[in-house]
Amino acid sequence: LLAEERAAQVFCDNLRKALLAPPATNTSPVVFALDPGFQAGIKCALLESSSGQLVVNQKNALSTVSFMRNHEQGKQQMIELLQSCQRNAKGKVVVALGNGHGTQEARKLVSEASDTCGIAIDIRLVSEAGASVWSVTEAAAEEFPTDAAAAVAAVSIGRRYLNPLAELVKIPPRSLGLGMYQHDLTKKDLDEKLHITSVDAVAEVGVEANSCSAEILEKVPGITKVLCGRIIAARPLQKRHDLLDITGLGPKTFENCAAFIRVEGKDELDSTL
């Protein structure tokens, strides 16, 4: 029993550290995210740093680089993607590279492409654990209805580099590869402790009501899935007390959640915690 409690505590501590990792600062306007692979190729995504969305009006914002059969062709594809990044953001290109199977080969290919075309890059290794899990969820399918699930994992890697908390709360903690002997622990107890850890992490940072995702809003103390949907439907909120106009969100619930919700609106104090 003591060993199980210790294993669960280690998992919770690691999860908390991952969720509260600082977001990227002073990064370029565009992030080039790579999900490494071999036969399936390297999945690539060009993301806007400000929003985490795919670069608009860019045909190759989500693409695959195949290099196993023809290395030179793969390098040329990578050069074209780096050039697309530089057109959208002058200067050094930030590359968020997943640290999984095939990372060294992907690093070598993008470095060769960088040297050939003369575009400076800054490679940042990012944990890719759970990215494929998110890519097959309903939320991912709704956001990328015409793209294959395998191609979407690179988006998750880029977003968790930009803002770890906002992205990692979308993924079941068990899939993040952070725990010890997690399969030997009681699923119900472990999931409950991990959920509490996620809620605590979100409460420590807070959320912006008009821009946060549904997944992170649901982790705010006092906010249920139903209330989350109603808050999103009521956007844009002008002030924090607008929450009281939402059906089902009474004074008691407001008292529980208001301290963890920011609203960028008319009152400057509403944008603080």
Side-chain angles (χ1 to χ4, degrees):
L1 183 59
L2 183 61
E4 289 185 1
E5 290 180 357
R6 178 58 181 159
Q9 186 59 50
V10 169
F11 201 146
C12 291
D13 290 344
N14 291 342
L15 175 62
R16 180 178 177 81
K17 290 177 183 177
L19 291 175
L20 294 179
T25 56
N26 300 323
T27 189
S28 62
V30 172
V31 169
F32 185 30
L34 303 180
D35 179 19
F38 289 109
Q39 294 299 334
I42 302 170
K43 310 302 180 184
C44 309
L46 276 61
L47 302 176
E48 295 181 352
S49 297
S50 58
S51 63
Q53 301 298 315
L54 292 175
V55 175
V56 295
N57 301 323
Q58 187 72 49
K59 292 183 178 179
N60 58 354
L62 199 61
S63 58
T64 301
V65 171
S66 301
F67 67 100
M68 290 295 290
R69 293 185 179 180
N70 191 328
H71 185 82
E72 286 302 315
Q73 182 179 342
K75 186 168 76 171
Q76 185 57 42
Q77 287 179 277
M78 196 65 77
I79 289 173
E80 292 173 2
L81 289 168
L82 288 175
Q83 290 171 339
S84 296
C85 289
Q86 195 175 52
R87 280 196 294 271
N88 288 280
K90 303 298 181 183
K92 187 176 290 187
V93 174
V94 174
V95 179
L97 175 61
N99 66 343
H101 193 56
T103 296
Q104 292 305 317
E105 288 75 12
R107 180 197 283 269
K108 181 180 178 181
L109 185 65
V110 72
S111 296
E112 288 179 3
S114 170
D115 293 339
T116 301
C117 65
I119 297 176
I121 60 174
D122 181 12
I123 298 177
R124 305 293 180 90
L125 286 181
V126 181
S127 171
E128 66 172 24
S132 58
V133 175
W134 173 80
S135 67
V136 296
T137 61
E138 290 184 9
E142 185 177 334
E143 187 175 356
F144 303 98
T146 60
D147 298 297
V152 176
V155 175
S156 180
I157 291 173
R159 287 176 177 173
R160 64 178 68 183
Y161 162 70
L162 292 170
N163 191 335
L165 178 61
E167 188 63 22
L168 293 179
V169 294
K170 301 177 182 178
I171 301 167
R174 282 174 169 270
S175 301
L176 293 176
L178 299 171
M180 297 168 48
Y181 314 112
Q182 66 188 66
H183 300 295
D184 296 329
L185 304 179
T186 305
K187 184 178 185 303
K188 181 181 177 181
D189 292 343
L190 179 60
D191 287 348
E192 183 179 344
K193 291 177 180 178
L194 293 176
H195 175 72
I196 292 173
T197 301
S198 300
V199 171
D200 286 345
V202 171
E204 183 168 329
V205 176
V207 302
E208 205 289 310
N210 289 323
S211 60
C212 68
S213 66
E215 290 86 357
I216 195 170
L217 186 57
E218 287 177 20
K219 295 291 193 298
V220 172
I223 300 297
T224 63
K225 190 170 185 177
V226 173
L227 284 178
C228 173
R230 291 174 181 171
I231 292 173
I232 292 175
R235 288 173 175 172
L237 303 177
Q238 299 300 318
K239 56 185 185 297
R240 190 176 283 149
H241 274 77
D242 286 349
L243 291 168
L244 288 169
D245 297 332
I246 295 172
T247 304
L249 202 158
K252 284 295 182 183
T253 303
F254 180 79
E255 193 176 298
N256 288 335
C257 71
F260 312 109
I261 296 179
R262 301 188 304 274
V263 177
E264 300 288 347
K266 298 177 180 179
D267 192 336
E268 290 186 5
L269 290 177
D270 283 346
S271 62
T272 63
L273 292 179

